[in-house]
Amino acid sequence: MRIEPGNNAQRIWQVYKNQKMLLAKEKGVPDTAKDDMALSDEARLFKDIAVAAKAAPDIRQDKVESIKNAINSGLYNIDAGKIAEGIISEIGFDQKA
């Protein structure tokens, strides 16, 4: 079967629209009817949380300043063992096969 280029898709779309309008007239739906959407309370809450998260700064400047001050004053101690444990845990080497 060969499909010829042309406006076949437009014809199909027009048939679809005509059928849709006929069904709407049979049901008594005016031509001005539009789709409607309502959000649940959970969806609104999720949206509000997402907006708040986007508005929050990526860098917590108070933490950065606190660590800078500790480093400059010589009070910042690094526990290499905890860093190594974290890395090992992150990549999954601490789990038995």
Side-chain angles (χ1 to χ4, degrees), residues 1-44:
M1 174 179 181
R2 183 173 177 186
I3 300 174
E4 296 291 329
N7 58 359
N8 288 334
Q10 290 174 346
R11 288 185 199 150
I12 293 169
W13 181 248
Q14 189 61 44
V15 168
Y16 171 76
K17 283 176 46 179
N18 289 344
Q19 286 178 345
K20 188 176 176 183
M21 288 181 1
L22 287 173
L23 287 172
K25 285 182 183 178
E26 287 176 7
K27 293 181 180 179
V29 178
D31 290 342
T32 59
K34 297 189 182 205
D35 292 334
D36 190 24
M37 180 183 76
L39 297 176
S40 68
D41 291 338
E42 286 179 342
R44 285 191 198 103

